[in-house]
Amino acid sequence: MKQNCFHNFSLILLFLLTTFFTACQSEKKQLKIENPLPVEFGDPYILKASDGMYYMIGTGGVKDGFKMYSSADLKSWKDEGRIYQGNTSDSWNTANFWAPELYEKDGNFYLLFSADWRENPTNELENFRIGVAVADNPTGPYTDLFDRPIFDPGYPVIDGNLWFENDKVYLYYSRCCYKNPVESEVADWAREKGMFDEIEESWVYGVELQPDFSGIIGEPKLLLRPPLKMDDQQAEWESRSVTSGEVNRRWTEGSYLFKNEDTYYIMYSANYFGGKNYAVGYATSDSPLGLFQKADNNPVLQKNVEQGGIVTGTGHNSVTVAPDGKTMLCVYHGRTSETGEERVVFIDPMEITADGKLVVHGPTTTQK
């Protein structure tokens, strides 16, 4: 009897020690990112592909197109060079190649991006549309899937993002501020202060997409927009570009959708993308097309200079997963006092807490 008790005790002790050392080793193996990355991208997006590699794309790096970096561990990055050439004689696009995203589907890789549409009979200053290119391997080269944008809503659109579920594809995008003046209490306030005559806004929409990306199904649905009233919980942080006198626009852009358990999370960026106040918030829903409720802990990512940090202009994020397959990572761009006006890439841990709140543990910088 005593031998059995001693044997059981030994097994329990062995289990506890094994658990302890495993936890210690896991802690030691925790991913350490040196922020910012030595990559001058805006709107960064990272795909972890089926080959186990990470592929990062973003705005900038090459003219009239996109370039790529690859990594096995999110630390060391290989420059893959240009993966897409736009503004050619047979392309639908001409300039302003922005906010690319990369998706793997049925053995192919799809590059979703924004650019100026060549078809512009009324000479609009902003004529952005969303298109898609395809390649049979992640590093390309990518060629346009169609000789046109995916669809034409009649106004400029940017920042496409896709969600795949139950054989359906959903497209999320931002209607540009261009020629979209909106009446609100913030607009009234700006006029009373003599700052701006009108305030233009960008809004996030969602719509079902044809499985072959050839067009949309049904009408786009408005999902997110800046608050109408100044006492709205979100109004202060989403209106800083206006209230600081920076510009007469309020943005809701750079959307990224993912699902955690039964809840859909849509992250978005607000304020001027070229300024210090660019920041990230999120909203939740029980359906991919809303209704979405903005979170009470917004913004979840913003400048840290008021707290003694050196980072500003944090925004337009995507989400990937660490090599451990569990840790969620927020990928975004920002600026620092050392990098100046160039947008550089940051990767910080993020999590969904037990009560469903999204938390980004950033921005962080590495001491050199």
Side-chain angles (χ1 to χ4, degrees), residues 7 63 78 130 155 167 222 224 226 229 237 249 254 286:
H7 178 70
K63 183 181 179 182
K78 176 186 176 184
I130 295 169
Y155 48 79
D167 296 324
L222 176 61
L224 298 171
K229 296 186 176 295
W237 81 271
R249 287 181 165 183
D286 59 4

Side-chain angles (χ1 to χ4, degrees), residues 231-257:
D231 63 357
D232 188 295
Q233 185 178 7
Q234 313 293 330
E236 187 279 324
W237 81 271
E238 290 193 25
S239 306
R240 291 172 184 168
S241 291
V242 172
T243 56
S244 67
E246 192 173 34
V247 67
N248 69 323
R249 287 181 165 183
R250 292 199 295 173
W251 280 265
T252 312
E253 64 175 21
S255 59
Y256 181 92
L257 187 124

Side-chain angles (χ1 to χ4, degrees), residues 123-367:
N123 294 316
E124 300 296 335
L125 293 178
E126 297 185 16
N127 196 44
F128 316 127
R129 296 297 188 272
I130 295 169
V132 61
V134 64
D136 58 11
N137 69 81
T139 56
Y142 287 80
T143 57
D144 288 315
L145 193 58
F146 309 106
D147 61 355
R148 57 172 174 80
I150 293 175
F151 76 115
D152 176 21
Y155 48 79
V157 295
I158 58 174
D159 297 353
N161 173 244
L162 299 180
W163 176 252
F164 300 85
E165 184 173 304
N166 297 330
D167 296 324
K168 291 187 176 182
V169 186
Y170 298 93
L171 170 68
Y172 303 87
Y173 66 88
S174 179
R175 172 180 182 166
C176 293
C177 295
Y178 181 71
K179 291 187 176 181
N180 190 34
V182 178
E183 290 301 321
S184 67
E185 290 185 359
V186 174
D188 293 338
W189 176 88
R191 273 192 292 266
E192 291 172 3
K193 294 288 185 179
M195 297 171 68
F196 304 111
D197 293 331
E198 65 180 18
I199 303 299
E200 296 177 315
E201 295 183 357
S202 67
W203 299 346
V204 168
Y205 287 79
V207 66
E208 188 176 347
L209 196 62
Q210 295 284 357
D212 62 358
F213 311 123
S214 61
I216 61 173
I217 300 173
E219 292 296 317
K221 184 176 181 181
L222 176 61
L223 303 182
L224 298 171
R225 58 180 294 183
L228 288 170
K229 296 186 176 295
M230 293 190 76
D231 63 357
D232 188 295
Q233 185 178 7
Q234 313 293 330
E236 187 279 324
W237 81 271
E238 290 193 25
S239 306
R240 291 172 184 168
S241 291
V242 172
T243 56
S244 67
E246 192 173 34
V247 67
N248 69 323
R249 287 181 165 183
R250 292 199 295 173
W251 280 265
T252 312
E253 64 175 21
S255 59
Y256 181 92
L257 187 124
F258 68 94
K259 189 177 183 181
N260 182 72
E261 296 182 349
D262 294 325
T263 301
Y264 296 87
Y265 290 75
I266 188 167
M267 303 179 75
Y268 66 97
S269 296
N271 297 302
Y272 176 42
F273 56 87
K276 295 181 178 180
N277 295 310
Y278 206 41
V280 175
Y282 74 99
T284 58
S285 174
D286 59 4
S287 167
L289 291 178
L291 299 169
F292 280 92
Q293 180 69 38
K294 292 181 180 179
D296 60 12
N297 63 319
N298 284 339
V300 294
L301 181 65
Q302 61 180 324
K303 59 186 178 180
N304 64 7
V305 288
E306 283 85 356
Q307 293 75 42
I310 62 171
V311 184
T312 63
T314 56
H316 199 125
N317 77 287
S318 60
V319 178
T320 191
V321 63
D324 65 9
K326 299 177 181 178
T327 306
M328 298 177 70
L329 300 172
C330 183
V331 184
Y332 60 96
H333 74 242
R335 298 176 176 86
T336 75
S337 56
E338 297 174 353
T339 59
E341 291 303 306
E342 291 293 341
R343 294 181 293 182
V344 287
V345 178
F346 293 75
I347 302 176
D348 279 313
M350 62 177 280
E351 64 174 315
I352 306 298
T353 62
D355 58 356
K357 291 189 182 300
L358 188 158
V359 177
V360 179
H361 298 287
T364 66
T365 51
T366 303
Q367 296 293 331

